[in-house]
Amino acid sequence: MSPARTPTGAAPSRGRRAGRSAGDDREVAILATAERLLRERAFGDISIDDLARGAGISRPTFYFYFPSKDAVLLTLLDRVTEEADAAAGDVLDRLAEDPRARWRELIARFHATFGGHRDVVLACAQVRGTNAEVRRLWAEVLERWVRAVQAAIELERARGAAPDGLPARDLAIALNSMNERVWYATFAGDGPAVAERDVVDVLLDVWLTAIYRTTAPPVTPRG
Amino acid sequence: MSPARTPTGAAPSRGRRAGRSAGDDREVAILATAERLLRERAFGDISIDDLARGAGISRPTFYFYFPSKDAVLLTLLDRVTEEADAAAGDVLDRLAEDPRARWRELIARFHATFGGHRDVVLACAQVRGTNAEVRRLWAEVLERWVRAVQAAIELERARGAAPDGLPARDLAIALNSMNERVWYATFAGDGPAVAERDVVDVLLDVWLTAIYRTTAPPVTPRG
DNA sequence: ATCGGACTCGACAGGGTGTTGACTGGGGTC
DNA sequence: GACCCCAGTCAACACCCTGTCGAGTCCGAT
């Protein structure tokens, strides 16, 4: 699938290879051009020539740096997913302190992380239908969020804060799916959407009622 | 946008025009070919030539019947949306009889309608990113479902069966968005998904807790 | 000096879309 | 019967975009 590009650095790169050299500037320039163009038009309306020209190189030279247009987007997506993974952080480990505030923080971070890269994320959503690699990468990110939420729900049930009910994994999938779709509609302005200002609170409300059957889950006092 | 095709019939057609003629067979053949090919590969991997050949005509002749490949998909989508609109039916008018059963019926119908045309719906989801017309049409379907659910929630609140809370419209958007995304993941086998067997019950549980704060909403006895 | 790898691009092949212009065949009209 | 119009048909063309090939430059290491 990906060409033999001999990455010598530790981090797997979707571009050429790691290790400093003149070409790095070009690689960065291509990425920057992609981000800039994504701000003004859809991914499908950007040709490889546009990317190459924007980076000051010819089209064949583009292929020296990336195997395809999609690979550029994937590189951009890699950054976002890293950030997204970090965003969850340890929020859910401190749930007992103040569940409502912690859950809210989680949802707000999801919202902020993707909102900070909306052009890239929206573009990925567009090509997800046609690009298996984007689909896979996205599925992995979602899977990590689902697992974290699932674990948190199970912990809340174990400490008696949340009642039993749906399998925690199914509930985690449903809630994360809701967030993803609502988020998308809000930012893409595509169909019925919740106002950007309200979206975190709306989602939070559904999360809390689904998990606790109330919007004011019990706090376990520090002991 | 759409070519001057002089539709003479009542129903707006995305194909040529209404009124019987030899060409109708071809139009139907193109549609049937599209459905068949969609069952075996992605929309993006189907060329206009494939569609034309499948219908026994040449590529230029295809353009006599449809202005583009997307128009074929749109025609297929029209049928599904009609069915989807009918599916909601009057279920929500009879909520007081047995809310849990009625909501379940609504979700099950949503599931059954789209599941019955999964290839078309999945293809539409794929091109939604690149085709504004598909996006618009889909948004309209969703909007109608959202409105119906919103009205039902407001009625339930008015009769005291459901507590006040989020604006009914926001809640309706969030719940329908969840259904859409969960449905998609389940049928596309794309990332974390709920098993097809369980999906209706999982969604129902979240709907009921979000709307009623309990999974067993009160029944109003007929009087 | 010369070798090899990083880097570059002109030119080409291939596949897709959408359009043009010429052609056919049959149903009405005088 | 001569005619015409129009639905229907397609070979050929113009384009655009992707991806590849091969020939070339530049530069640091040997």
Side-chain angles (χ1 to χ4, degrees), chain A residues 32-103:
Chain A
T33 302
E35 278 193 304
R36 180 170 54 77
L37 293 181
L38 239 21
R39 235 167 281 136
E40 54 192 50
R41 51 191 204 264
F43 187 68
D45 293 335
I46 298 172
S47 72
I48 289 182
D49 203 47
D50 293 333
L51 259 18
R53 287 296 160 85
I57 55 179
S58 71
R59 206 167 53 78
T61 299
F62 167 92
Y63 287 99
F64 181 79
Y65 293 99
F66 292 94
S68 70
K69 198 173 66 162
D70 285 4
V72 176
L73 186 58
L74 246 356
T75 303
L76 258 18
L77 179 58
D78 276 339
R79 298 184 193 169
V80 180
T81 61
E82 260 174 54
E83 214 177 294
D85 287 343
D90 60 344
V91 175
L92 293 181
D93 298 337
R94 295 176 289 120
L95 262 188
E97 289 172 25
D98 184 348
R100 188 185 165 90
R102 290 294 148 272
W103 284 114

Side-chain angles (χ1 to χ4, degrees), chain A residues 192, chain B residues 141-151 168-169 172-173 176:
Chain B
V141 176
L142 202 54
E143 176 65 29
R144 284 189 286 270
W145 278 72
V146 165
R147 274 204 228 280
V149 171
Q150 174 185 351
R169 180 172 168 83
I173 290 172
N176 274 292

Side-chain angles (χ1 to χ4, degrees), chain B residues 20 46 56 67 74 83 87 101 109 112-113 117 129 134 149 159 184 192 213:
Chain B
R20 293 271 92 203
I46 298 171
L74 247 355
E83 213 177 295
R109 285 192 186 182
T113 301
H117 303 277
V134 170
V149 171
R159 71 178 250 258
Y184 180 83
R213 310 267 156 101

Side-chain angles (χ1 to χ4, degrees), chain B residues 26-135:
Chain B
R26 264 58 217 271
E27 197 166 327
V28 169
I30 291 172
L31 259 5
T33 303
E35 277 193 305
R36 181 169 55 78
L37 294 182
L38 239 22
R39 235 167 280 135
E40 53 193 52
R41 51 191 205 265
F43 186 68
D45 294 335
I46 298 171
S47 72
I48 289 181
D49 202 48
D50 293 334
L51 259 18
R53 288 294 158 86
I57 57 178
S58 69
R59 207 167 52 78
T61 299
F62 167 92
Y63 286 100
F64 181 79
Y65 293 99
F66 292 94
S68 70
K69 197 173 65 162
D70 286 4
V72 177
L73 186 58
L74 247 355
T75 303
L76 256 18
L77 179 58
D78 276 338
R79 298 184 193 167
V80 181
T81 61
E82 258 173 54
E83 213 177 295
D85 287 342
D90 61 343
V91 175
L92 293 180
D93 298 336
R94 294 175 290 120
L95 262 188
E97 289 172 24
D98 183 348
R100 187 185 167 90
R102 291 294 149 270
W103 285 113
R104 191 177 198 289
E105 201 174 333
L106 185 79
I107 293 171
R109 285 192 186 182
F110 175 98
H111 194 251
T113 301
F114 294 133
H117 303 277
R118 63 180 72 185
D119 300 314
V120 172
V121 178
L122 255 17
C124 287
Q126 287 190 359
V127 304
R128 183 174 50 189
T130 56
N131 185 306
E133 185 69 4
V134 170
R135 212 152 49 224

